[in-house]
PDB file of all heavy atoms in Angstrom:
ATOM      1  N   GLU A 271     -21.435  -3.307 -14.148  1.00 94.00           N
ATOM      2  CA  GLU A 271     -21.474  -4.741 -14.622  1.00 94.00           C
ATOM      3  C   GLU A 271     -20.623  -5.534 -13.693  1.00 94.00           C
ATOM      4  O   GLU A 271     -19.609  -5.014 -13.158  1.00 94.00           O
ATOM      5  CB  GLU A 271     -21.096  -4.884 -16.022  1.00 94.00           C
ATOM      6  CG  GLU A 271     -22.001  -4.079 -17.027  1.00 94.00           C
ATOM      7  CD  GLU A 271     -23.378  -4.587 -17.158  1.00 94.00           C
ATOM      8  OE1 GLU A 271     -23.687  -5.751 -16.826  1.00 94.00           O
ATOM      9  OE2 GLU A 271     -24.277  -3.798 -17.562  1.00 94.00           O
ATOM     10  N   PHE A 272     -20.948  -6.798 -13.520  1.00 94.00           N
ATOM     11  CA  PHE A 272     -20.127  -7.605 -12.612  1.00 94.00           C
ATOM     12  C   PHE A 272     -19.490  -8.822 -13.295  1.00 94.00           C
ATOM     13  O   PHE A 272     -20.003  -9.306 -14.285  1.00 94.00           O
ATOM     14  CB  PHE A 272     -21.084  -8.205 -11.572  1.00 94.00           C
ATOM     15  CG  PHE A 272     -21.794  -7.111 -10.712  1.00 94.00           C
ATOM     16  CD1 PHE A 272     -23.089  -6.744 -10.922  1.00 94.00           C
ATOM     17  CD2 PHE A 272     -21.086  -6.372  -9.752  1.00 94.00           C
ATOM     18  CE1 PHE A 272     -23.741  -5.800 -10.129  1.00 94.00           C
ATOM     19  CE2 PHE A 272     -21.725  -5.444  -8.911  1.00 94.00           C
ATOM     20  CZ  PHE A 272     -23.073  -5.122  -9.171  1.00 94.00           C
ATOM     21  N   ALA A 273     -18.333  -9.210 -12.703  1.00 94.00           N
ATOM     22  CA  ALA A 273     -17.731 -10.364 -13.183  1.00 94.00           C
ATOM     23  C   ALA A 273     -17.141 -11.111 -11.834  1.00 94.00           C
ATOM     24  O   ALA A 273     -16.701 -10.362 -10.951  1.00 94.00           O
ATOM     25  CB  ALA A 273     -16.520 -10.061 -14.052  1.00 94.00           C
ATOM     26  N   ALA A 274     -17.191 -12.440 -11.768  1.00 94.00           N
ATOM     27  CA  ALA A 274     -16.758 -13.101 -10.647  1.00 94.00           C
ATOM     28  C   ALA A 274     -15.542 -13.894 -10.873  1.00 94.00           C
ATOM     29  O   ALA A 274     -14.956 -14.540  -9.877  1.00 94.00           O
ATOM     30  CB  ALA A 274     -17.911 -14.103 -10.192  1.00 94.00           C
ATOM     31  N   ASP A 275     -14.986 -13.933 -12.047  1.00 95.00           N
ATOM     32  CA  ASP A 275     -13.693 -14.643 -12.393  1.00 95.00           C
ATOM     33  C   ASP A 275     -13.100 -14.123 -13.565  1.00 95.00           C
ATOM     34  O   ASP A 275     -13.660 -13.248 -14.337  1.00 95.00           O
ATOM     35  CB  ASP A 275     -13.943 -16.111 -12.435  1.00 95.00           C
ATOM     36  CG  ASP A 275     -14.961 -16.511 -13.342  1.00 95.00           C
ATOM     37  OD1 ASP A 275     -15.063 -15.899 -14.519  1.00 95.00           O
ATOM     38  OD2 ASP A 275     -15.765 -17.556 -13.272  1.00 95.00           O
ATOM     39  N   TRP A 276     -11.894 -14.564 -13.877  1.00 95.00           N
ATOM     40  CA  TRP A 276     -11.158 -14.047 -15.073  1.00 95.00           C
ATOM     41  C   TRP A 276     -11.961 -14.267 -16.343  1.00 95.00           C
ATOM     42  O   TRP A 276     -11.971 -13.343 -17.239  1.00 95.00           O
ATOM     43  CB  TRP A 276      -9.790 -14.697 -15.192  1.00 95.00           C
ATOM     44  CG  TRP A 276      -9.035 -14.465 -16.450  1.00 95.00           C
ATOM     45  CD1 TRP A 276      -8.891 -15.104 -17.541  1.00 95.00           C
ATOM     46  CD2 TRP A 276      -8.252 -13.225 -16.698  1.00 95.00           C
ATOM     47  NE1 TRP A 276      -8.042 -14.465 -18.364  1.00 95.00           N
ATOM     48  CE2 TRP A 276      -7.686 -13.333 -17.863  1.00 95.00           C
ATOM     49  CE3 TRP A 276      -8.084 -12.026 -15.881  1.00 95.00           C
ATOM     50  CZ2 TRP A 276      -6.912 -12.287 -18.505  1.00 95.00           C
ATOM     51  CZ3 TRP A 276      -7.259 -11.010 -16.445  1.00 95.00           C
ATOM     52  CH2 TRP A 276      -6.734 -11.160 -17.654  1.00 95.00           C
ATOM     53  N   ASP A 277     -12.481 -15.483 -16.593  1.00 95.00           N
ATOM     54  CA  ASP A 277     -13.237 -15.741 -17.830  1.00 95.00           C
ATOM     55  C   ASP A 277     -14.358 -14.826 -17.953  1.00 95.00           C
ATOM     56  O   ASP A 277     -14.633 -14.286 -19.069  1.00 95.00           O
ATOM     57  CB  ASP A 277     -13.677 -17.222 -17.841  1.00 95.00           C
ATOM     58  CG  ASP A 277     -12.513 -18.149 -18.036  1.00 95.00           C
ATOM     59  OD1 ASP A 277     -11.416 -17.700 -18.587  1.00 95.00           O
ATOM     60  OD2 ASP A 277     -12.669 -19.343 -17.599  1.00 95.00           O
ATOM     61  N   SER A 278     -15.112 -14.568 -16.957  1.00 95.00           N
ATOM     62  CA  SER A 278     -16.381 -13.707 -17.098  1.00 95.00           C
ATOM     63  C   SER A 278     -15.891 -12.252 -17.282  1.00 95.00           C
ATOM     64  O   SER A 278     -16.650 -11.524 -17.995  1.00 95.00           O
ATOM     65  CB  SER A 278     -17.369 -13.846 -15.865  1.00 95.00           C
ATOM     66  OG  SER A 278     -16.616 -13.576 -14.692  1.00 95.00           O
ATOM     67  N   LEU A 279     -14.811 -11.907 -16.727  1.00 95.00           N
ATOM     68  CA  LEU A 279     -14.223 -10.575 -16.962  1.00 95.00           C
ATOM     69  C   LEU A 279     -13.889 -10.320 -18.425  1.00 95.00           C
ATOM     70  O   LEU A 279     -14.364  -9.320 -19.016  1.00 95.00           O
ATOM     71  CB  LEU A 279     -13.018 -10.342 -16.042  1.00 95.00           C
ATOM     72  CG  LEU A 279     -12.107  -9.224 -16.475  1.00 95.00           C
ATOM     73  CD1 LEU A 279     -12.679  -7.934 -16.085  1.00 95.00           C
ATOM     74  CD2 LEU A 279     -10.734  -9.394 -15.716  1.00 95.00           C
ATOM     75  N   ILE A 280     -13.156 -11.354 -18.957  1.00 94.00           N
ATOM     76  CA  ILE A 280     -12.813 -11.200 -20.437  1.00 94.00           C
ATOM     77  C   ILE A 280     -14.105 -11.209 -21.334  1.00 94.00           C
ATOM     78  O   ILE A 280     -14.137 -10.404 -22.289  1.00 94.00           O
ATOM     79  CB  ILE A 280     -11.905 -12.361 -20.908  1.00 94.00           C
ATOM     80  CG1 ILE A 280     -10.616 -12.214 -20.097  1.00 94.00           C
ATOM     81  CG2 ILE A 280     -11.642 -12.403 -22.308  1.00 94.00           C
ATOM     82  CD1 ILE A 280      -9.845 -10.990 -20.320  1.00 94.00           C
ATOM     83  N   ALA A 281     -15.013 -11.908 -20.893  1.00 94.00           N
ATOM     84  CA  ALA A 281     -16.352 -12.124 -21.745  1.00 94.00           C
ATOM     85  C   ALA A 281     -17.037 -10.709 -21.795  1.00 94.00           C
ATOM     86  O   ALA A 281     -17.674 -10.349 -22.711  1.00 94.00           O
ATOM     87  CB  ALA A 281     -17.197 -13.133 -21.139  1.00 94.00           C
ATOM     88  N   GLN A 282     -16.955  -9.964 -20.646  1.00 93.00           N
ATOM     89  CA  GLN A 282     -17.660  -8.674 -20.535  1.00 93.00           C
ATOM     90  C   GLN A 282     -17.042  -7.589 -21.364  1.00 93.00           C
ATOM     91  O   GLN A 282     -17.598  -6.571 -21.748  1.00 93.00           O
ATOM     92  CB  GLN A 282     -17.606  -8.257 -18.967  1.00 93.00           C
ATOM     93  CG  GLN A 282     -18.482  -9.045 -18.113  1.00 93.00           C
ATOM     94  CD  GLN A 282     -19.838  -8.535 -18.012  1.00 93.00           C
ATOM     95  OE1 GLN A 282     -20.386  -7.886 -18.968  1.00 93.00           O
ATOM     96  NE2 GLN A 282     -20.577  -8.831 -17.001  1.00 93.00           N
ATOM     97  N   LEU A 283     -15.657  -7.780 -21.655  1.00 93.00           N
ATOM     98  CA  LEU A 283     -14.940  -6.655 -22.323  1.00 93.00           C
ATOM     99  C   LEU A 283     -15.244  -6.480 -23.791  1.00 93.00           C
ATOM    100  O   LEU A 283     -14.524  -5.787 -24.482  1.00 93.00           O
ATOM    101  CB  LEU A 283     -13.441  -6.892 -22.030  1.00 93.00           C
ATOM    102  CG  LEU A 283     -13.064  -6.643 -20.567  1.00 93.00           C
ATOM    103  CD1 LEU A 283     -11.605  -6.954 -20.422  1.00 93.00           C
ATOM    104  CD2 LEU A 283     -13.381  -5.239 -20.120  1.00 93.00           C
ATOM    105  N   THR A 284     -16.309  -7.242 -24.234  1.00 90.00           N
ATOM    106  CA  THR A 284     -16.803  -6.883 -25.612  1.00 90.00           C
ATOM    107  C   THR A 284     -17.497  -5.450 -25.605  1.00 90.00           C
ATOM    108  O   THR A 284     -17.743  -4.920 -26.633  1.00 90.00           O
ATOM    109  CB  THR A 284     -17.708  -7.999 -26.089  1.00 90.00           C
ATOM    110  OG1 THR A 284     -18.815  -8.078 -25.161  1.00 90.00           O
ATOM    111  CG2 THR A 284     -16.963  -9.239 -26.293  1.00 90.00           C
ATOM    112  N   ILE A 285     -17.855  -5.018 -24.341  1.00 89.00           N
ATOM    113  CA  ILE A 285     -18.540  -3.809 -24.135  1.00 89.00           C
ATOM    114  C   ILE A 285     -17.472  -2.750 -23.772  1.00 89.00           C
ATOM    115  O   ILE A 285     -16.528  -3.083 -23.065  1.00 89.00           O
ATOM    116  CB  ILE A 285     -19.582  -3.929 -23.073  1.00 89.00           C
ATOM    117  CG1 ILE A 285     -20.679  -5.028 -23.333  1.00 89.00           C
ATOM    118  CG2 ILE A 285     -20.344  -2.530 -22.812  1.00 89.00           C
ATOM    119  CD1 ILE A 285     -21.470  -5.363 -22.151  1.00 89.00           C
ATOM    120  N   ALA A 286     -17.590  -1.472 -24.070  1.00 92.00           N
ATOM    121  CA  ALA A 286     -16.761  -0.429 -23.665  1.00 92.00           C
ATOM    122  C   ALA A 286     -16.993  -0.009 -22.296  1.00 92.00           C
ATOM    123  O   ALA A 286     -18.132   0.255 -21.848  1.00 92.00           O
ATOM    124  CB  ALA A 286     -16.871   0.720 -24.563  1.00 92.00           C
ATOM    125  N   PHE A 287     -15.906   0.125 -21.428  1.00 95.00           N
ATOM    126  CA  PHE A 287     -16.073   0.419 -20.068  1.00 95.00           C
ATOM    127  C   PHE A 287     -15.161   1.658 -19.808  1.00 95.00           C
ATOM    128  O   PHE A 287     -14.120   1.871 -20.537  1.00 95.00           O
ATOM    129  CB  PHE A 287     -15.719  -0.658 -19.085  1.00 95.00           C
ATOM    130  CG  PHE A 287     -16.687  -1.786 -18.965  1.00 95.00           C
ATOM    131  CD1 PHE A 287     -16.558  -2.892 -19.681  1.00 95.00           C
ATOM    132  CD2 PHE A 287     -17.790  -1.675 -18.128  1.00 95.00           C
ATOM    133  CE1 PHE A 287     -17.544  -3.873 -19.648  1.00 95.00           C
ATOM    134  CE2 PHE A 287     -18.728  -2.642 -18.009  1.00 95.00           C
ATOM    135  CZ  PHE A 287     -18.582  -3.867 -18.785  1.00 95.00           C
ATOM    136  N   ASP A 288     -15.513   2.405 -18.743  1.00 94.00           N
ATOM    137  CA  ASP A 288     -14.665   3.616 -18.448  1.00 94.00           C
ATOM    138  C   ASP A 288     -13.613   3.180 -17.421  1.00 94.00           C
ATOM    139  O   ASP A 288     -12.688   3.887 -17.153  1.00 94.00           O
ATOM    140  CB  ASP A 288     -15.539   4.746 -17.860  1.00 94.00           C
ATOM    141  CG  ASP A 288     -16.485   5.254 -18.941  1.00 94.00           C
ATOM    142  OD1 ASP A 288     -16.064   5.858 -19.866  1.00 94.00           O
ATOM    143  OD2 ASP A 288     -17.723   5.048 -18.825  1.00 94.00           O
TER     144      ASP A 288
END
Side-chain angles (χ1 to χ4, degrees):
E271 300 293 336
F272 301 102
D275 55 37
W276 175 258
D277 290 338
S278 59
L279 164 69
I280 296 301
Q282 291 270 27
L283 290 177
T284 55
I285 306 168
F287 287 96
D288 297 290

